[in-house]
Amino acid sequence: MAPPGKRHRAPTSTKIQVIKRRLTKFQEKYLTTDFVKRLVFDPNLLWVSAIVLLLAECFVNILVIQRVPYTEIDWIAYMEEVEGVVNGTWDYSKLKGSTGPLVYPAGFVYFFTVLYYITNFGKNIRLAQYIFCGIYLITLALVFRIYHKSKKIPPYMLIFICCTSYRAHSIYVLRLFNDPVAMLFLYAAVNLFMEDYWTLGSIFYSFAVSIKMNILLFAPALLLAYIASQGIYGTIKQLSICAGLQLLLGAPFLLANPVAYIVGSFNLGRVFLFEWTVNWRFLSEEVFVHPGFHISLLLIHIGILAVFANPWYRFMKSFAKLQPTGVGIISQLFLLPLFTANLIGVALSRSLHYQFYVWYFHSLPYLLWSTPYSIWLRLCILGFVEMCWNTFPSTIASSAILHVCHLLIIYGIFSRRHPTKDSSVDRDGSEVKKGK
């Protein structure tokens, strides 16, 4: 009997061959023109650009802080105002700074009191700048998360958010205004609402209001969101949480002088200085300060909100119904009413000052991508808005162009509030042609 033949083993792959195969697969999957295009245009890959730009922003902001001179505007006044509280003054009528009386709610006092101690009684401005750099980066991360969840805008728009606005960087790390602090808590609240954490979101939202009152511009849409998702009793609960936090934060000032606190921190009748206006330069100063002008703006504001109320509520009802599915794209139903309500408020503000740009700067790409306009028109509108906010002092032309841009965005969103006969509405409220 012949001896059995030797079995031939299949040659084993060497480590080098394994590495080569993995590199080949990596190259075929990622090092392609198609993948590069997806990184630029696919909202599903927005997180990649977000991480890269956040890292880049760390270095950019450090460079700005180290190389660009700091400009004093309100920081010293903030420190003087909270110093009065530190020294035991709780009467709002007696809390003043070099720029005038304290006009912000109690949350502002507490937050900037913490900064007062951290920065050596407000003297270490460089440290304050780095703290505001952190506020800027956290805000960006929160905004990027909103955009990633909604899958509304292409990744390349993040470049416009980060790299095209000198004004936004200036407001955060070169001016140290309280507006960025309020927006930080607002975007944190929006993220919580999107994840169905309504009570915690209400706490963050109310604290944002306690930093600066402009956050109330989001309130009309948020109220509809409460009603649609929480019902009447749930809405009462959330409103009670918001109001209760305001009372809790303001308690020491309310006990000392309730009238002074309410009038001082929630003064709806403030008259702004004409010399600082960004949006009404084409008016005469007499018209600008006239009470009738302010009342007219308020009435127009209420009227436009009323027009949008029905489609917003429809969006919010759909959001409430679909939110348990966990599909991130449905957050568009929540975001569009919220950001549009804020834009309407900004467009009809009595006066916009340069630091107010951050009230809606980070939401502009989302709003523009909710319009039916071409990409080039959207980018042009964004560019003109940026130009207007970087024109100092404002001119008749810059103010007029800013209003035109606001009206174009609002009209574009208004035109898509209902589906046409030949289209249906997808989950983000935008039109999709039938058969496509």
Side-chain angles (χ1 to χ4, degrees), residues 298-338:
L298 179 61
L299 293 175
I300 295 172
H301 187 180
I302 294 172
I304 295 177
L305 290 176
V307 169
F308 276 95
N310 185 56
W312 285 352
Y313 185 68
R314 178 167 54 87
F315 284 4
M316 292 300 187
K317 287 289 286 184
S318 297
F319 174 70
K321 182 179 179 180
L322 296 169
Q323 191 178 31
T325 64
V327 180
I329 194 172
I330 67 166
S331 59
Q332 296 179 22
L333 293 161
F334 174 74
L335 294 173
L336 183 58
L338 205 68

Side-chain angles (χ1 to χ4, degrees), residues 189-226:
V190 171
N191 275 273
L192 290 166
F193 290 138
M194 288 167 56
E195 297 297 333
D196 205 21
Y197 294 108
W198 289 92
T199 296
L200 192 57
S202 294
I203 292 172
F204 273 79
Y205 176 81
S206 186
F207 192 78
V209 173
S210 75
I211 299 291
K212 195 161 187 179
M213 203 169 53
N214 70 283
I215 303 300
L216 289 174
L217 296 177
F218 294 90
L222 182 58
L223 176 60
L224 294 177
Y226 282 152

Side-chain angles (χ1 to χ4, degrees), residues 60-361:
V60 170
N61 279 273
I62 291 172
L63 189 64
V64 170
I65 292 171
Q66 293 294 331
R67 297 293 181 88
V68 182
Y70 163 78
T71 302
E72 172 55 41
I73 297 180
D74 281 340
W75 173 258
I76 291 176
Y78 291 167
M79 295 298 101
E80 291 171 343
E81 289 161 0
V82 301
E83 193 171 48
V85 177
V86 171
N87 292 332
T89 302
W90 298 99
D91 186 340
Y92 243 61
S93 65
K94 298 178 181 178
L95 295 173
K96 300 178 181 179
S98 56
T99 58
L102 175 57
V103 294
Y104 307 118
F108 163 87
V109 175
Y110 300 132
F111 189 90
F112 279 85
T113 297
V114 173
L115 295 184
Y116 174 82
Y117 284 113
I118 292 176
T119 60
N120 189 26
F121 314 121
K123 297 175 184 177
N124 192 341
I125 294 176
R126 182 54 57 85
L127 177 58
Q129 287 182 274
Y130 277 106
I131 292 172
F132 271 79
C133 172
I135 291 172
Y136 176 79
L137 293 173
I138 295 172
T139 301
L140 268 189
L142 291 170
V143 171
F144 289 170
R145 185 178 186 276
I146 290 171
Y147 282 162
H148 174 65
K149 287 278 291 183
S150 68
K151 294 178 172 53
K152 181 71 172 179
I153 68 169
Y156 67 81
M157 282 307 301
L158 300 190
I159 298 175
F160 287 85
I161 293 175
C162 293
C163 304
T164 62
S165 182
Y166 164 80
R167 181 65 64 189
H169 286 86
S170 173
I171 291 168
Y172 277 85
V173 298
L174 297 179
R175 303 293 188 270
L176 310 183
F177 289 114
N178 64 330
D179 305 78
V181 181
M183 296 309 298
L184 168 68
F185 286 98
L186 181 278
Y187 287 121
V190 171
N191 275 273
L192 290 166
F193 290 138
M194 288 167 56
E195 297 297 333
D196 205 21
Y197 294 108
W198 289 92
T199 296
L200 192 57
S202 294
I203 292 172
F204 273 79
Y205 176 81
S206 186
F207 192 78
V209 173
S210 75
I211 299 291
K212 195 161 187 179
M213 203 169 53
N214 70 283
I215 303 300
L216 289 174
L217 296 177
F218 294 90
L222 182 58
L223 176 60
L224 294 177
Y226 282 152
I227 296 171
S229 64
Q230 305 296 297
I232 298 300
Y233 292 109
T235 299
I236 294 173
K237 174 187 173 182
Q238 299 304 324
L239 293 178
S240 298
I241 291 170
C242 292
L245 183 62
Q246 294 301 319
L247 290 173
L248 180 64
L249 294 172
F253 307 103
L254 289 168
L255 291 172
N257 189 338
V259 175
Y261 176 69
I262 294 172
V263 172
S265 59
F266 295 99
N267 185 2
L268 297 175
R270 288 178 60 197
V271 178
F272 294 97
L273 295 176
F274 182 68
E275 63 181 299
W276 294 112
T277 187
V278 174
N279 57 331
W280 297 114
R281 182 65 62 186
F282 52 83
L283 298 177
S284 66
E285 187 168 1
E286 291 75 17
V287 173
F288 177 79
V289 300
H290 195 281
F293 174 63
H294 297 167
I295 293 173
S296 299
L297 288 176
L298 179 61
L299 293 175
I300 295 172
H301 187 180
I302 294 172
I304 295 177
L305 290 176
V307 169
F308 276 95
N310 185 56
W312 285 352
Y313 185 68
R314 178 167 54 87
F315 284 4
M316 292 300 187
K317 287 289 286 184
S318 297
F319 174 70
K321 182 179 179 180
L322 296 169
Q323 191 178 31
T325 64
V327 180
I329 194 172
I330 67 166
S331 59
Q332 296 179 22
L333 293 161
F334 174 74
L335 294 173
L336 183 58
L338 205 68
F339 288 164
T340 306
N342 182 55
L343 172 65
I344 293 169
V346 170
L348 293 167
S349 291
R350 295 178 179 182
S351 183
L352 294 176
H353 296 175
Y354 287 95
Q355 65 268 32
F356 297 177
Y357 191 21
V358 297
W359 291 5
Y360 73 139
F361 168 72

Side-chain angles (χ1 to χ4, degrees), residues 397-435:
S398 67
S399 290
I401 292 172
L402 185 62
H403 279 289
V404 170
C405 291
H406 289 164
L407 289 173
L408 282 172
I409 300 173
I410 294 171
Y411 175 76
I413 295 171
F414 175 80
S415 68
R416 303 182 84 170
R417 73 196 186 283
H418 296 303
T420 62
K421 293 181 179 179
D422 297 324
S423 64
S424 60
V425 176
D426 66 9
R427 288 180 175 180
D428 70 344
S430 60
E431 294 181 7
V432 178
K433 294 295 181 182
K434 288 182 178 180

